[in-house]
Amino acid sequence: MISGFAEAVYKNYNGSVYDLMDEALGKALEMAGLERKDLDGFMTTFLPGVFDGNIYMHFFPDQICGYLGITPKYIDSLDYGGPSVLSALWRAERLIKDGVAENILLLFGGKGSDVRKRKQTVDSFEKLYPEITNTPYRHLINLYNSMNPVSDYALVAERHKKIYGSTDTQRAELIVKQRKNANRSGYAMFTGELSLEDVLNSPVISSPLHLLEIVYPVDGFHAFIVSNKPGKLRGIRIQNYGEAHQSFLPPEIDDITLTPAAESTKNFRREIAKCDFYELYDSFSITVMLQLENTGIVPKGQSGKFIEKNSISVDGDLPLNTGGGSINRGQPAYMSGSVLLYEALLQMNEMADGNQVKSPGKVFINGIGGWYRNHSVSLILGD
Amino acid sequence: MKVDDLYNEYDKIFASNKMPFIKCKTCDKAYYYPRNVCPFCGSSNIEIMISSGTGEIYSCTEFKGGFYGIIKFPEGFGAYMNIDGDNIVIGRNVIIKFREIGGKILPYAYVD
């Protein structure tokens, strides 16, 4: 059960990444009514460049625990990007059930703006540091024109258009509707009116993807405290869980529009249909569409039409990315998983003020990592 | 065969303007990115082959650096590469050409 959760997110944080960790942790501890000495488990992740510019940090969980003043008896680091925090939640619940620890801190994030300002992403950091390698296939991939991860998402969006007839306008509809959710959420970073024309007239970064369909990397940490008691919060747990991983490159995959989300949800599709709201990984517009189809919420190839026809607001047909998603919150350190989990917890605990899902019994959360095709973590939270 | 041997062999084949790939003699599948054990069946009974050097655009994207995409080959393998020529769209046939990119001779796809 989660006893405390908090975020500390800034467009550009002028200071050390350790301040951001401290801020998120302090707020989560306050919500949980716990102190640092009560934390006996620690889980995190590391991506190059997002910890004060360090391209590598030796024994980094020790560095963080030492700085924060935490002495855990259990430490773990998960290393598959966006959905790692969701896997950490599942593992933490099991560790607590087994009595390994009582209060496990999940601390995920970093300072993405340093990398962003150098006009790279963590997936293209090898262009700045040849010592970093993203692939065992070296020059057979790295010397080409890629602009990762954007160009790879563009390839799947283009393929989806060709095979299923989805359109630029349909993807833009999703962006406009998520913005409406953001305008109601009260805590989004990017708000204000946004029209289809605004999205379609924004620069094409890698065809067919426009600038406003791409998440913006920001600075921030989320802290989640998983405990054996829920404290002041609702005692919610993971009801269904699946993770799936595959490492073939897109050229070696028969159908790139079929992501590991199909595999990670295959055992509980019926339960997904019964959820009250949905938080789907939104690194790009196309990412959400692929998950809608691959998890069985919408038939294959139909996500574009579905988005056009349905409302995704908290009182709509399918409440989806209810806080506006990471597209509007910003993506802390190139990972959106914590943004999804944070919004889900706000809603489940009826803390979303004027943007509250009515009777939030169950939520389906899906995280995607390793661009669109390597990792998927799917879970339902409920009582 | 060691993985470095596979790369060296690829480089030699690129230098003669031909497109290599690997065929697994156990499961009959083909792949391009060098691995000394077949990623589909785990067999090390593999052989470097020469492709016809023609393919089809599976997907493509245009950005500041030009066109880039996934090319699928009739022998059953696929590869990322830069794409040149006119009317670059999914489904178009391409021929594989070679040029120096970043100090290495590498294949690229050309729409005739």
Side-chain angles (χ1 to χ4, degrees), chain A residues 14-62:
Chain A
N14 182 23
S16 167
V17 75
Y18 287 104
D19 300 338
L20 293 170
M21 291 184 205
D22 252 333
E23 185 186 335
L25 174 58
K27 288 194 242 176
L29 284 169
E30 194 182 334
M31 184 187 278
L34 295 171
E35 296 176 37
R36 291 182 192 224
K37 66 175 171 50
D38 300 319
L39 299 173
D40 55 2
F42 179 69
M43 292 181 173
T44 187
T45 193
F46 176 78
L47 287 171
V50 302
F51 276 41
D52 287 340
N54 289 304
I55 58 170
Y56 178 70
M57 298 222 314
H58 191 49
F59 293 151
F60 72 95
D62 288 343

Side-chain angles (χ1 to χ4, degrees), chain A residues 76-90:
Chain A
D76 205 350
S77 170
L78 292 86
D79 192 15
Y80 42 92
S84 300
V85 67
L86 303 177
S87 292
L89 173 60
W90 183 73

